[in-house]
Amino acid sequence: MGNFGNQTLTFDYVIVGAGPGGLVMANRLSEDENINIAVVEAGTWSEDVVGNLTQVPGYNLVFDNPNTESEPYAVDWGFTTVPQVGLQGAKTRYQRGKCLGGSSNLNAMAWSISSAGAFEAWADAVGDDSWGFDTVYKYYRKAMNFAPLAETRRANATPEWREKDVATGGPLDVRYPAYAYSWSTWLATALNAVGVMQTDSFISGKLNGSAWQTNTINHTTSARASADTAYLRPFLQRANLHIFQQTLAEKIIFNGNKTATGVFVTDNTNNSTYTLSASREVIVSAGAFQSPQLLQVSGVGPKNVLDARNIPVVADRPGVGQNLQDQFFFGIAYRVNLPTPVTIGGAPEAIAAARKFNKKATGPLSNPGGEYAGFEKLPEHLRGGFSELTNNTLATYPSDWPEIEFLTLPAFVGNGRTTPAAPAGDYGTILATIQTPTSRGNVTITSASMHDAPVINPAWLTTQEDVEVSIAMFKRVREVWAVPELHNVTQGEEFFPGSSVRSDAEIEGFIRANTMPIYHASATNKMGKPDDPNAVVDSRGRVYGVTRLRVVDVSAFPFLFPGTAPQAGVYMLSEKLADAVKEDQG
């Protein structure tokens, strides 16, 4: 929008961040034409800066580059972690979306619902039964617009789902990709062979088993469906919905009663500053890193951190920026004799793939990768090396909460940082993702300015439990590769890491050297009970210690729950809290 100098513009609600949390909230609140909404977003339309890279599912991996020497795309904030003790001192780039739609324009488009037991644990953690599975399930469905399977896929792989688990009429298109790699069908066979049996889907409240993944993909064009395309673009004609793009939220403004009254912002196109006043509430939806950063620079956070930056303390909330929970993954690769993106990546094949996507909405570019997955609790024969600590910790999780996720990519996957490129050829990688991470990191400001990136410390692999579970996960992936059914498609011995990695110590060393981020950072402004000193928000997203301020994004999760990705949970959270905002305002 234009240059407002030092003016104050007044709205009912000011929402910071245009990812799934912020745009769902903006959409639902602006359904009432008498309510005026301002949305503040530092980025702009993704296609204006990176063309169709965010729109074509097959291009999504271009954003997945943890190498800190790489140049981030203009739709990515370009965050880098501090050196990770658990990764032998390595630093890694951590993607976060800087555009309208946020990280829903960069991620792998996975759509899943976590286990029913995880939501019962959520309800217990926050002291509110409305976070139990039966209630949140309705909000997942409220967002969903499911389409039946594309005819183009039936020859490759046929997913199954229960009609009662899908819904139509929501803003967000959800479907199975129109194309499936033949490699993924072999993984399905291999997982069945080791007892990770095929189930119907990951959208029923049950995870353990294996299934084809649903994705947020447009039903007609096979392009990415995002918070931008689902909750914003179709509603831009609403006169009460105001988008302040390329605008940085600098600080939340409080009055003397610790009431949030607005947000001080900078227009990045001309460096003008002004205030967006909120007559009802300020809603922060800036994500796992920048939501706690914005709270801290505004005076809400750990007192010692604020004092060190000479920031007046509005509310001493020690949990702001703490409790960072994140999954991580690593993989084992073989050469395969199946067509992969390498095979179809030559010039003639690439041209054919683009033509098939553009004209028929199918082909390899309609597939974001990682289309088949599996979950399980690690089998008993791999738990013998677990310490009493690890056994006791794992026993605290609900019975339906898996410990490992199997993912696959039809490509060689190293660590994205130092692994040399593999020789030319076709590869398959089976990846293990931890579902019970106990390591806890943090996000801490370096100054009182939002222009300075915060210190991001995921603290991966810093607990005994995570190390022991990861070693067992590595062994389990080797068991999957060893099934006779895969001998038909593998060529030669294990390519990566190879036979030199055998002992537990060698496996641990490999894991520490080759673990990668999966970009699921969560719970840095955790939801919790009033008597929890580390809770930041209550069960309705309201920030403790102040009034008229909420957090509505992945940072408000009480913990990172299991599943293929947390993005569907953010849509659910914002749909649910939008109803809470309406109820609270009467």
Side-chain angles (χ1 to χ4, degrees):
M1 301 188 75
N3 183 348
F4 300 104
N6 292 315
Q7 295 182 37
T8 296
L9 306 177
T10 300
F11 302 88
D12 293 291
Y13 297 93
V14 176
I15 300 171
V16 178
L23 289 184
V24 171
M25 183 65 69
N27 179 290
R28 295 308 187 187
L29 294 182
S30 63
E31 289 172 339
D32 182 344
E33 63 183 15
N34 297 311
I35 300 295
N36 281 295
I37 311 296
V39 178
V40 182
E41 170 55 48
T44 185
W45 305 104
S46 59
E47 66 269 26
D48 286 350
V49 288
V50 293
N52 68 354
L53 289 183
T54 61
Q55 298 169 330
V56 179
Y59 293 162
N60 87 90
L61 289 177
V62 303
F63 302 113
D64 184 7
N65 188 351
N67 189 340
T68 57
E69 301 300 317
S70 63
E71 187 68 25
Y73 285 89
V75 291
D76 186 347
W77 281 94
F79 291 129
T80 299
T81 70
V82 295
Q84 292 298 287
V85 174
L87 305 189
Q88 301 175 342
K91 295 191 295 184
T92 180
R93 191 174 297 289
Y94 205 112
Q95 66 167 236
R96 291 288 86 184
K98 185 183 181 182
C99 53
L100 292 160
S103 294
S104 72
N105 270 326
L106 276 65
N107 64 26
M109 292 155 268
W111 177 271
S112 72
I113 298 177
S114 192
S115 67
F119 289 108
E120 300 313 314
W122 183 323
D124 290 343
V126 304
D128 184 344
D129 289 342
S130 75
W131 288 99
F133 179 75
D134 289 344
T135 302
V136 302
Y137 182 63
K138 299 173 185 176
Y139 286 103
Y140 276 105
R141 291 167 57 82
K142 184 176 182 180
M144 179 192 288
N145 184 35
F146 180 78
L149 189 63
E151 291 292 332
T152 55
R153 182 187 165 111
R154 292 189 187 277
N156 293 75
T158 305
E160 298 179 0
W161 64 89
R162 301 185 306 179
E163 287 298 327
K164 70 176 185 178
D165 293 327
V166 298
T168 58
L172 186 68
D173 280 359
V174 175
R175 62 175 290 185
Y176 293 96
Y179 176 90
Y181 284 102
S182 57
W183 158 240
S184 298
T185 65
W186 287 98
L187 177 68
T189 300
L191 288 177
N192 270 309
V194 298
V196 185
M197 306 307 292
Q198 193 158 2
T199 185
D200 44 31
S201 70
F202 298 133
I203 53 176
S204 65
K206 298 178 181 178
L207 291 176
N208 286 318
S210 61
W212 298 95
Q213 290 206 56
T214 45
N215 297 89
T216 51
I217 294 176
N218 183 276
H219 297 170
T220 304
T221 66
S222 283
R224 177 192 294 269
S226 67
D228 159 22
T229 64
Y231 283 87
L232 178 59
R233 292 189 197 223
F235 305 95
L236 285 172
Q237 79 283 359
R238 289 180 179 172
N240 61 335
L241 178 58
H242 308 270
I243 308 300
F244 291 80
Q245 59 173 302
Q246 299 186 78
T247 300
L248 180 69
E250 301 274 10
K251 185 178 180 180
I252 301 164
I253 300 168
F254 295 94
N255 65 18
N257 296 320
K258 300 185 178 183
T259 298
T261 61
V263 180
F264 184 65
V265 303
T266 297
D267 184 330
N268 291 333
T269 65
N270 56 29
N271 290 321
S272 63
T273 59
Y274 49 97
T275 298
L276 301 177
S277 178
S279 62
R280 296 196 179 197
E281 289 188 14
V282 172
I283 299 171
V284 177
S285 302
F289 301 150
Q290 286 155 299
S291 284
Q293 181 188 14
L294 183 60
L295 292 187
Q296 289 177 16
V297 301
S298 304
V300 180
K303 185 177 185 300
N304 63 319
V305 171
L306 306 184
D307 287 345
R309 305 291 181 264
N310 296 315
I311 297 171
V313 176
V314 177
D316 178 12
R317 300 306 305 178
V320 174
Q322 304 304 305
N323 193 49
L324 193 164
Q325 301 182 29
D326 200 9
Q327 297 160 346
F328 54 83
F329 66 161
F330 51 83
I332 296 175
Y334 273 74
R335 290 180 181 268
V336 296
N337 58 14
L338 297 169
T340 69
V342 171
T343 307
I344 61 178
E349 293 84 358
I351 292 171
R355 185 180 297 116
K356 187 172 288 188
F357 180 80
N358 290 330
K359 292 189 175 183
K360 298 183 178 181
T362 186
L365 291 181
S366 68
N367 187 318
E371 63 202 314
Y372 198 85
F375 294 90
E376 69 169 355
K377 286 191 181 288
L378 289 159
E380 197 62 37
H381 70 272
L382 292 176
R383 308 176 83 89
F386 287 173
S387 63
E388 182 180 3
L389 173 64
T390 295
N391 280 320
N392 290 341
T393 299
L394 294 178
T396 65
Y397 288 89
S399 60
D400 64 351
W401 187 308
E403 294 161 353
I404 178 176
E405 177 190 12
F406 302 91
L407 288 172
T408 182
L409 285 174
F412 168 69
V413 180
N415 64 23
R417 300 183 301 273
T418 59
T419 310
D426 293 301
Y427 297 84
T429 303
I430 300 177
L431 298 145
T433 306
I434 193 167
Q435 296 294 297
T436 56
T438 57
S439 300
R440 297 291 181 263
N442 51 69
V443 180
T444 308
I445 55 174
T446 57
S447 76
S449 173
M450 288 296 292
H451 295 265
D452 298 326
V455 173
I456 298 169
N457 178 24
W460 296 301
L461 284 165
T462 53
T463 65
Q464 181 178 346
E465 299 99 307
D466 286 358
V467 173
E468 292 179 2
V469 169
S470 294
I471 291 171
M473 293 195 311
F474 180 95
K475 293 176 180 178
R476 186 59 165 159
V477 172
R478 272 194 168 158
E479 291 180 352
V480 176
W481 272 117
V483 301
E485 289 83 350
L486 287 187
H487 295 170
N488 297 317
V489 296
T490 56
Q491 294 182 321
E493 300 300 313
E494 179 181 287
F495 176 77
F496 182 76
S499 59
S500 62
V501 176
R502 305 303 306 179
S503 69
D504 283 4
E506 290 165 343
I507 293 171
E508 179 181 343
F510 168 80
I511 291 169
R512 291 192 183 280
N514 293 285
T515 281
M516 297 171 290
I518 199 168
Y519 311 112
H520 291 170
S522 303
T524 48
N525 288 314
K526 80 165 188 172
M527 186 180 292
K529 299 175 183 177
D531 60 356
D532 180 352
N534 290 313
V536 178
V537 301
D538 68 10
S539 65
R540 300 174 79 82
R542 297 171 297 201
V543 177
Y544 286 118
V546 297
T547 58
R548 286 176 29 187
L549 177 65
R550 293 187 205 240
V551 176
V552 182
D553 60 24
V554 72
S555 74
F557 287 8
F559 47 72
L560 174 56
F561 48 67
T564 59
Q567 84 148 342
V570 180
Y571 284 102
M572 174 277 294
L573 174 94
S574 192
E575 287 279 14
K576 187 175 186 301
L577 292 184
D579 279 354
V581 171
K582 293 177 180 180
E583 292 167 4
D584 289 346
Q585 296 297 337

